[in-house]
Each structure stands twice: as C-alpha cells, then as structure tokens.
Amino acid sequence: MMGPAHSLSGAAAWLGVGAAAAAAGRPMPWPVLVVGALVCAGAALAPDLDHKSATISRAFGPFSRGLCGVIDKISYSVYKATKTQSDPRRSGGHRTLTHTWLWAVLIGAGTAVLGMAGGRWAVLGILFVHMVLAVEGLLWRAARVSSDILVWLLGATSAWILADILNKPGNGADWLFSAPGQEYLWLGLPVVLGALVHDIGDALTVSGCPVLWPIVVGRKRWYPVGPPKAMRFRAGSWVELKVMMPVFMLLGGAGCLAALGII
Ligand SMILES: [Zn+2]
C-alpha cells in the first residue's frame, strides 16, 4: 500500500484497540486515544524506511535519506545471509528485514524503554518523529506541496502541546502501566501495532510480505505471506483508494466512538 493508506489503517487500528480496551475495563483517557492514533499512523510508515522513494525516507530530508541507505544495506545483507535455497535472489533490501514481526517487536520495545526511561526529551523526540510522519501520511498531498520545514514545525509544536496534555494527572501518561516509573511505557504499543498493520497491508498487495521471518514456511525463510493471488491488489490501485481507505475511516470512526463510550 502507499503512505496514506498505511497511515489511515494505523490510526484505525489504534482506535480499534481503544474500543477493545474500553470493553476490557481499561478505557483510554482521550489524550491516549488521540496521541496513540497519531503515533500509530506515523509508525505505520516506518517499515518502508528500506525504500528511498517512500514517504518516510523523504520526511526528514538528508537525515532520513541517509538512514534509508543504511537500512537498505543492512536489510539486504540479512536477506542474503539467511535466505534458504528456495528464497528467490533479489537485488535490494526492500520489503525484507523491516517488514517482519521481529522488527516490529524490537522497535516497539525500544520505543517503550526510551519513553519510560529517557525522560521528557525522549518522549518529545518520539512524539515529534511520529507527528511529522502522521502529517506526511494522513495529509499526504497537502504536506507534499508545503515545505518540509513547515511540516517539521507542525510536528514540533504538536509534540510539545500533546506531551503537556499527557503529563497532566489522569490524562494517561501512566495508562495501562501504572506502577511508579512506568509512565509512557505504553508508547511502544502503537509503534508495534503500526508496523504490524503496515505488514498486513503489504501482504494484501501483489508481492506479499515476509512478516513471519525467521520462521521457515514451505522451505522459504522469507515466505511472502498473503491471501490467494486473486484477492490481492496492486499498491496504489483503485481498490486501495476507493474501497480500503473509506473502510479504514469508517472502522476508525466506529472504534473512536466505542473507545470513548459513546456507542
Ligand atoms: Zn512496505
């Protein structure tokens, strides 16, 4: 899928988690619902950091372009080092290492530890990166015509404002993990979820997604998971734009209302 569909599915998934949390008796305060949805929308772009023309690789100028080159090289080496005889030869690292459940869990755990132990600036950093990505993903065309600097300013101000709101007692810095010192541990959850939702989205496209790596399936360690070929669609096709994106919006809206206890 393309950036906007990934981001929208990420936001919808977090709102769905909000509905499930409310049903399970651990409702999210509204700032957790909003911030989580935005972080998840941003995190849902992150696996494409292995592709130089992806939204995320362009989002932070030379910094993200450089990181993208490094991630692509690492992913390609890991692919070559771990492929079985049945995995095809390939020429780059796109849709390999960063498109696996293991990667999702590792960056989620990293974010959780950073958010919990890194203090205010770590939380601001995590929010800033994901707010910029959420703006790029959700307001795709609008962000593309404005300048990068404006998007970064928007990301920085919204990160600052949202961190202040979350810090107020009862607003959810300690949602789900409420022991002293565990504030912001939950920030890892939308990051894991966003990456997994991205992988599922890619699995629905023609080439599939090797999300199960390093688990061997049918003699392939990079088995491209996906539905039967007839049910797959091309990235950026009308199915994605005219069917899936409106469905994500409806599901997200329903999830949001349920999470807030309105329905
Ligand atoms: Zn992808």
Side-chain angles (χ1 to χ4, degrees), residues 46-54 56-58 61-78 91-94 96-98 103:
D48 279 345
L49 196 53
D50 60 6
H51 190 297
K52 62 180 182 320
S53 59
I56 181 170
S57 308
R58 291 188 292 204
F63 181 75
S64 51
R65 272 198 299 279
L67 190 60
C68 169
V70 173
I71 297 276
D72 181 41
K73 287 212 172 56
I74 294 173
S75 304
Y76 186 40
S77 330
V78 172
S91 58
H94 182 46
T96 57
L97 186 60
T98 58
W103 175 275

mmCIF file of all heavy atoms in Angstrom, residues 46-54 56-58 61-78 91-94 96-98 103:
data_model
loop_
_atom_site.group_PDB
_atom_site.id
_atom_site.type_symbol
_atom_site.label_atom_id
_atom_site.label_comp_id
_atom_site.label_asym_id
_atom_site.label_seq_id
_atom_site.Cartn_x
_atom_site.Cartn_y
_atom_site.Cartn_z
ATOM 1 N N ALA A 46 6.836 3.418 9.003
ATOM 2 C CA ALA A 46 8.240 3.162 9.327
ATOM 3 C C ALA A 46 8.865 1.984 8.583
ATOM 4 O O ALA A 46 10.034 2.082 8.198
ATOM 5 C CB ALA A 46 8.403 2.998 10.841
ATOM 6 N N PRO A 47 8.167 0.856 8.372
ATOM 7 C CA PRO A 47 8.849 -0.255 7.693
ATOM 8 C C PRO A 47 9.388 0.114 6.306
ATOM 9 O O PRO A 47 10.360 -0.491 5.848
ATOM 10 C CB PRO A 47 7.758 -1.332 7.597
ATOM 11 C CG PRO A 47 6.899 -1.063 8.784
ATOM 12 C CD PRO A 47 6.850 0.438 8.872
ATOM 13 N N ASP A 48 8.816 1.117 5.656
ATOM 14 C CA ASP A 48 9.304 1.467 4.321
ATOM 15 C C ASP A 48 10.576 2.306 4.349
ATOM 16 O O ASP A 48 11.001 2.834 3.315
ATOM 17 C CB ASP A 48 8.215 2.177 3.516
ATOM 18 C CG ASP A 48 7.238 1.172 2.926
ATOM 19 O OD1 ASP A 48 7.575 -0.033 2.898
ATOM 20 O OD2 ASP A 48 6.144 1.567 2.500
ATOM 21 N N LEU A 49 11.185 2.398 5.526
ATOM 22 C CA LEU A 49 12.480 3.075 5.621
ATOM 23 C C LEU A 49 13.561 2.340 4.822
ATOM 24 O O LEU A 49 14.704 2.765 4.726
ATOM 25 C CB LEU A 49 12.896 3.191 7.101
ATOM 26 C CG LEU A 49 14.011 4.167 7.459
ATOM 27 C CD1 LEU A 49 13.716 5.557 6.923
ATOM 28 C CD2 LEU A 49 14.197 4.229 8.958
ATOM 29 N N ASP A 50 13.192 1.217 4.212
ATOM 30 C CA ASP A 50 14.146 0.480 3.376
ATOM 31 C C ASP A 50 13.967 0.821 1.893
ATOM 32 O O ASP A 50 14.499 0.152 1.035
ATOM 33 C CB ASP A 50 13.969 -1.035 3.587
ATOM 34 C CG ASP A 50 12.569 -1.506 3.218
ATOM 35 O OD1 ASP A 50 11.788 -0.696 2.698
ATOM 36 O OD2 ASP A 50 12.263 -2.676 3.456
ATOM 37 N N HIS A 51 13.183 1.853 1.602
ATOM 38 C CA HIS A 51 12.888 2.173 0.206
ATOM 39 C C HIS A 51 13.060 3.678 -0.004
ATOM 40 O O HIS A 51 12.392 4.473 0.650
ATOM 41 C CB HIS A 51 11.442 1.763 -0.099
ATOM 42 C CG HIS A 51 11.103 1.821 -1.553
ATOM 43 N ND1 HIS A 51 11.135 2.989 -2.257
ATOM 44 C CD2 HIS A 51 10.711 0.859 -2.417
ATOM 45 C CE1 HIS A 51 10.800 2.747 -3.514
ATOM 46 N NE2 HIS A 51 10.539 1.459 -3.636
ATOM 47 N N LYS A 52 13.946 4.084 -0.925
ATOM 48 C CA LYS A 52 14.307 5.500 -0.929
ATOM 49 C C LYS A 52 13.213 6.429 -1.426
ATOM 50 O O LYS A 52 13.226 7.607 -1.104
ATOM 51 C CB LYS A 52 15.620 5.731 -1.683
ATOM 52 C CG LYS A 52 15.636 5.362 -3.145
ATOM 53 C CD LYS A 52 17.039 5.681 -3.692
ATOM 54 C CE LYS A 52 17.189 5.397 -5.174
ATOM 55 N NZ LYS A 52 16.533 4.179 -5.666
ATOM 56 N N SER A 53 12.221 5.937 -2.156
ATOM 57 C CA SER A 53 11.175 6.871 -2.584
ATOM 58 C C SER A 53 9.934 6.816 -1.683
ATOM 59 O O SER A 53 8.932 7.449 -1.970
ATOM 60 C CB SER A 53 10.788 6.610 -4.048
ATOM 61 O OG SER A 53 10.337 5.288 -4.183
ATOM 62 N N ALA A 54 10.017 6.089 -0.563
ATOM 63 C CA ALA A 54 8.864 6.022 0.345
ATOM 64 C C ALA A 54 8.707 7.342 1.104
ATOM 65 O O ALA A 54 9.670 8.108 1.253
ATOM 66 C CB ALA A 54 9.049 4.870 1.327
ATOM 67 N N ILE A 56 8.426 7.997 4.218
ATOM 68 C CA ILE A 56 9.275 8.155 5.417
ATOM 69 C C ILE A 56 10.703 8.523 5.046
ATOM 70 O O ILE A 56 11.353 9.303 5.738
ATOM 71 C CB ILE A 56 9.262 6.874 6.287
ATOM 72 C CG1 ILE A 56 10.131 7.091 7.530
ATOM 73 C CG2 ILE A 56 9.690 5.636 5.505
ATOM 74 C CD1 ILE A 56 10.014 6.033 8.574
ATOM 75 N N SER A 57 11.197 8.022 3.922
ATOM 76 C CA SER A 57 12.593 8.281 3.567
ATOM 77 C C SER A 57 12.788 9.721 3.104
ATOM 78 O O SER A 57 13.909 10.222 3.061
ATOM 79 C CB SER A 57 13.045 7.310 2.483
ATOM 80 O OG SER A 57 12.767 5.993 2.887
ATOM 81 N N ARG A 58 11.669 10.379 2.769
ATOM 82 C CA ARG A 58 11.777 11.775 2.355
ATOM 83 C C ARG A 58 11.397 12.734 3.475
ATOM 84 O O ARG A 58 11.572 13.947 3.352
ATOM 85 C CB ARG A 58 10.866 12.020 1.148
ATOM 86 C CG ARG A 58 11.378 11.296 -0.094
ATOM 87 C CD ARG A 58 10.608 11.688 -1.310
ATOM 88 N NE ARG A 58 9.232 11.189 -1.215
ATOM 89 C CZ ARG A 58 8.460 10.959 -2.266
ATOM 90 N NH1 ARG A 58 8.905 11.208 -3.474
ATOM 91 N NH2 ARG A 58 7.238 10.504 -2.115
ATOM 92 N N GLY A 61 14.414 14.873 5.301
ATOM 93 C CA GLY A 61 15.490 15.395 4.457
ATOM 94 C C GLY A 61 16.685 14.455 4.394
ATOM 95 O O GLY A 61 16.526 13.234 4.348
ATOM 96 N N PRO A 62 17.910 15.038 4.402
ATOM 97 C CA PRO A 62 19.120 14.217 4.249
ATOM 98 C C PRO A 62 19.256 13.160 5.342
ATOM 99 O O PRO A 62 19.788 12.078 5.111
ATOM 100 C CB PRO A 62 20.267 15.225 4.351
ATOM 101 C CG PRO A 62 19.659 16.559 4.470
ATOM 102 C CD PRO A 62 18.178 16.454 4.541
ATOM 103 N N PHE A 63 18.752 13.469 6.560
ATOM 104 C CA PHE A 63 18.882 12.524 7.662
ATOM 105 C C PHE A 63 18.154 11.217 7.355
ATOM 106 O O PHE A 63 18.717 10.127 7.468
ATOM 107 C CB PHE A 63 18.358 13.143 8.959
ATOM 108 C CG PHE A 63 18.497 12.212 10.123
ATOM 109 C CD1 PHE A 63 19.742 11.994 10.704
ATOM 110 C CD2 PHE A 63 17.399 11.531 10.615
ATOM 111 C CE1 PHE A 63 19.888 11.105 11.761
ATOM 112 C CE2 PHE A 63 17.526 10.632 11.672
ATOM 113 C CZ PHE A 63 18.784 10.430 12.253
ATOM 114 N N SER A 64 16.883 11.320 6.919
ATOM 115 C CA SER A 64 16.142 10.077 6.658
ATOM 116 C C SER A 64 16.635 9.417 5.371
ATOM 117 O O SER A 64 16.614 8.188 5.254
ATOM 118 C CB SER A 64 14.629 10.330 6.619
ATOM 119 O OG SER A 64 14.301 11.377 5.760
ATOM 120 N N ARG A 65 17.119 10.218 4.408
ATOM 121 C CA ARG A 65 17.660 9.598 3.185
ATOM 122 C C ARG A 65 18.902 8.774 3.512
ATOM 123 O O ARG A 65 19.068 7.653 3.029
ATOM 124 C CB ARG A 65 17.992 10.657 2.140
ATOM 125 C CG ARG A 65 16.798 10.985 1.237
ATOM 126 C CD ARG A 65 17.255 11.678 -0.042
ATOM 127 N NE ARG A 65 17.933 12.939 0.233
ATOM 128 C CZ ARG A 65 17.310 14.078 0.484
ATOM 129 N NH1 ARG A 65 15.990 14.127 0.463
ATOM 130 N NH2 ARG A 65 17.980 15.177 0.735
ATOM 131 N N GLY A 66 19.769 9.329 4.384
ATOM 132 C CA GLY A 66 20.975 8.604 4.788
ATOM 133 C C GLY A 66 20.625 7.330 5.538
ATOM 134 O O GLY A 66 21.153 6.247 5.247
ATOM 135 N N LEU A 67 19.699 7.461 6.501
ATOM 136 C CA LEU A 67 19.280 6.306 7.292
ATOM 137 C C LEU A 67 18.684 5.226 6.395
ATOM 138 O O LEU A 67 18.937 4.037 6.562
ATOM 139 C CB LEU A 67 18.254 6.765 8.335
ATOM 140 C CG LEU A 67 17.861 5.755 9.411
ATOM 141 C CD1 LEU A 67 19.091 5.338 10.209
ATOM 142 C CD2 LEU A 67 16.814 6.358 10.339
ATOM 143 N N CYS A 68 17.924 5.670 5.397
ATOM 144 C CA CYS A 68 17.296 4.748 4.451
ATOM 145 C C CYS A 68 18.350 3.928 3.716
ATOM 146 O O CYS A 68 18.213 2.713 3.572
ATOM 147 C CB CYS A 68 16.442 5.549 3.475
ATOM 148 S SG CYS A 68 15.878 4.590 2.075
ATOM 149 N N GLY A 69 19.432 4.586 3.282
ATOM 150 C CA GLY A 69 20.504 3.860 2.595
ATOM 151 C C GLY A 69 21.111 2.796 3.496
ATOM 152 O O GLY A 69 21.339 1.653 3.070
ATOM 153 N N VAL A 70 21.348 3.173 4.769
ATOM 154 C CA VAL A 70 21.947 2.225 5.712
ATOM 155 C C VAL A 70 21.007 1.044 5.948
ATOM 156 O O VAL A 70 21.423 -0.125 5.897
ATOM 157 C CB VAL A 70 22.257 2.945 7.052
ATOM 158 C CG1 VAL A 70 22.727 1.938 8.101
ATOM 159 C CG2 VAL A 70 23.282 4.037 6.843
ATOM 160 N N ILE A 71 19.723 1.348 6.205
ATOM 161 C CA ILE A 71 18.736 0.286 6.488
ATOM 162 C C ILE A 71 18.619 -0.658 5.287
ATOM 163 O O ILE A 71 18.537 -1.879 5.436
ATOM 164 C CB ILE A 71 17.352 0.906 6.793
ATOM 165 C CG1 ILE A 71 17.427 1.767 8.053
ATOM 166 C CG2 ILE A 71 16.269 -0.166 6.901
ATOM 167 C CD1 ILE A 71 17.274 1.033 9.330
ATOM 168 N N ASP A 72 18.629 -0.095 4.082
ATOM 169 C CA ASP A 72 18.527 -0.921 2.875
ATOM 170 C C ASP A 72 19.710 -1.891 2.798
ATOM 171 O O ASP A 72 19.540 -3.078 2.537
ATOM 172 C CB ASP A 72 18.474 -0.010 1.642
ATOM 173 C CG ASP A 72 18.339 -0.814 0.352
ATOM 174 O OD1 ASP A 72 17.563 -1.792 0.343
ATOM 175 O OD2 ASP A 72 19.007 -0.474 -0.638
ATOM 176 N N LYS A 73 20.916 -1.388 3.076
ATOM 177 C CA LYS A 73 22.108 -2.241 3.007
ATOM 178 C C LYS A 73 22.061 -3.343 4.060
ATOM 179 O O LYS A 73 22.334 -4.506 3.766
ATOM 180 C CB LYS A 73 23.376 -1.400 3.198
ATOM 181 C CG LYS A 73 23.677 -0.549 1.985
ATOM 182 C CD LYS A 73 25.170 -0.335 1.793
ATOM 183 C CE LYS A 73 25.419 0.348 0.463
ATOM 184 N NZ LYS A 73 24.645 1.645 0.374
ATOM 185 N N ILE A 74 21.699 -2.954 5.310
ATOM 186 C CA ILE A 74 21.620 -3.955 6.382
ATOM 187 C C ILE A 74 20.580 -5.014 6.013
ATOM 188 O O ILE A 74 20.818 -6.220 6.119
ATOM 189 C CB ILE A 74 21.246 -3.292 7.728
ATOM 190 C CG1 ILE A 74 22.371 -2.364 8.190
ATOM 191 C CG2 ILE A 74 20.943 -4.344 8.793
ATOM 192 C CD1 ILE A 74 22.034 -1.548 9.421
ATOM 193 N N SER A 75 19.400 -4.562 5.534
ATOM 194 C CA SER A 75 18.326 -5.498 5.221
ATOM 195 C C SER A 75 18.770 -6.477 4.139
ATOM 196 O O SER A 75 18.483 -7.674 4.208
ATOM 197 C CB SER A 75 17.091 -4.742 4.711
ATOM 198 O OG SER A 75 16.697 -3.782 5.641
ATOM 199 N N TYR A 76 19.476 -5.943 3.136
ATOM 200 C CA TYR A 76 19.910 -6.791 2.032
ATOM 201 C C TYR A 76 20.921 -7.825 2.524
ATOM 202 O O TYR A 76 20.838 -9.005 2.157
ATOM 203 C CB TYR A 76 20.509 -5.915 0.921
ATOM 204 C CG TYR A 76 20.859 -6.663 -0.338
ATOM 205 C CD1 TYR A 76 20.024 -7.656 -0.833
ATOM 206 C CD2 TYR A 76 22.028 -6.360 -1.031
ATOM 207 C CE1 TYR A 76 20.357 -8.342 -1.995
ATOM 208 C CE2 TYR A 76 22.359 -7.039 -2.195
ATOM 209 C CZ TYR A 76 21.522 -8.034 -2.665
ATOM 210 O OH TYR A 76 21.855 -8.711 -3.812
ATOM 211 N N SER A 77 21.859 -7.400 3.403
ATOM 212 C CA SER A 77 22.836 -8.376 3.910
ATOM 213 C C SER A 77 22.135 -9.446 4.742
ATOM 214 O O SER A 77 22.480 -10.630 4.631
ATOM 215 C CB SER A 77 23.898 -7.728 4.799
ATOM 216 O OG SER A 77 24.125 -6.435 4.427
ATOM 217 N N VAL A 78 21.169 -9.038 5.573
ATOM 218 C CA VAL A 78 20.462 -10.029 6.393
ATOM 219 C C VAL A 78 19.713 -10.995 5.476
ATOM 220 O O VAL A 78 19.692 -12.204 5.706
ATOM 221 C CB VAL A 78 19.506 -9.341 7.390
ATOM 222 C CG1 VAL A 78 18.632 -10.372 8.099
ATOM 223 C CG2 VAL A 78 20.285 -8.533 8.412
ATOM 224 N N SER A 91 17.685 -7.998 -5.512
ATOM 225 C CA SER A 91 18.757 -7.041 -5.755
ATOM 226 C C SER A 91 18.800 -5.920 -4.719
ATOM 227 O O SER A 91 19.648 -5.057 -4.760
ATOM 228 C CB SER A 91 18.591 -6.429 -7.146
ATOM 229 O OG SER A 91 17.324 -5.824 -7.221
ATOM 230 N N GLY A 92 17.886 -5.906 -3.758
ATOM 231 C CA GLY A 92 17.926 -4.859 -2.738
ATOM 232 C C GLY A 92 17.192 -5.323 -1.503
ATOM 233 O O GLY A 92 16.658 -6.432 -1.464
ATOM 234 N N GLY A 93 17.130 -4.454 -0.486
ATOM 235 C CA GLY A 93 16.574 -4.887 0.789
ATOM 236 C C GLY A 93 15.111 -4.533 1.009
ATOM 237 O O GLY A 93 14.569 -4.790 2.082
ATOM 238 N N HIS A 94 14.443 -3.940 -0.019
ATOM 239 C CA HIS A 94 13.064 -3.502 0.225
ATOM 240 C C HIS A 94 12.151 -4.679 0.553
ATOM 241 O O HIS A 94 12.222 -5.726 -0.065
ATOM 242 C CB HIS A 94 12.542 -2.748 -0.998
ATOM 243 C CG HIS A 94 11.133 -2.234 -0.800
ATOM 244 N ND1 HIS A 94 10.734 -1.581 0.349
ATOM 245 C CD2 HIS A 94 10.044 -2.285 -1.586
ATOM 246 C CE1 HIS A 94 9.457 -1.257 0.250
ATOM 247 N NE2 HIS A 94 9.010 -1.676 -0.914
ATOM 248 N N THR A 96 12.060 -6.556 3.287
ATOM 249 C CA THR A 96 12.637 -7.723 3.943
ATOM 250 C C THR A 96 12.662 -7.478 5.456
ATOM 251 O O THR A 96 11.608 -7.519 6.087
ATOM 252 C CB THR A 96 14.023 -8.067 3.372
ATOM 253 O OG1 THR A 96 14.885 -6.935 3.500
ATOM 254 C CG2 THR A 96 13.937 -8.459 1.906
ATOM 255 N N LEU A 97 13.842 -7.168 5.999
ATOM 256 C CA LEU A 97 14.008 -7.122 7.458
ATOM 257 C C LEU A 97 13.008 -6.212 8.183
ATOM 258 O O LEU A 97 12.455 -6.567 9.219
ATOM 259 C CB LEU A 97 15.438 -6.670 7.771
ATOM 260 C CG LEU A 97 15.838 -6.690 9.246
ATOM 261 C CD1 LEU A 97 15.722 -8.085 9.826
ATOM 262 C CD2 LEU A 97 17.242 -6.149 9.421
ATOM 263 N N THR A 98 12.765 -5.017 7.634
ATOM 264 C CA THR A 98 11.888 -4.072 8.348
ATOM 265 C C THR A 98 10.415 -4.456 8.209
ATOM 266 O O THR A 98 9.562 -3.824 8.816
ATOM 267 C CB THR A 98 12.069 -2.640 7.803
ATOM 268 O OG1 THR A 98 11.779 -2.654 6.406
ATOM 269 C CG2 THR A 98 13.468 -2.132 8.029
ATOM 270 N N TRP A 103 11.099 -7.309 13.764
ATOM 271 C CA TRP A 103 11.463 -5.891 13.673
ATOM 272 C C TRP A 103 10.429 -5.039 14.399
ATOM 273 O O TRP A 103 10.772 -4.117 15.157
ATOM 274 C CB TRP A 103 11.556 -5.477 12.202
ATOM 275 C CG TRP A 103 11.803 -4.025 12.000
ATOM 276 C CD1 TRP A 103 10.861 -3.027 11.957
ATOM 277 C CD2 TRP A 103 13.061 -3.362 11.825
ATOM 278 N NE1 TRP A 103 11.458 -1.803 11.766
ATOM 279 C CE2 TRP A 103 12.812 -1.985 11.685
ATOM 280 C CE3 TRP A 103 14.381 -3.825 11.774
ATOM 281 C CZ2 TRP A 103 13.820 -1.056 11.492
ATOM 282 C CZ3 TRP A 103 15.386 -2.885 11.581
ATOM 283 C CH2 TRP A 103 15.109 -1.519 11.445
#
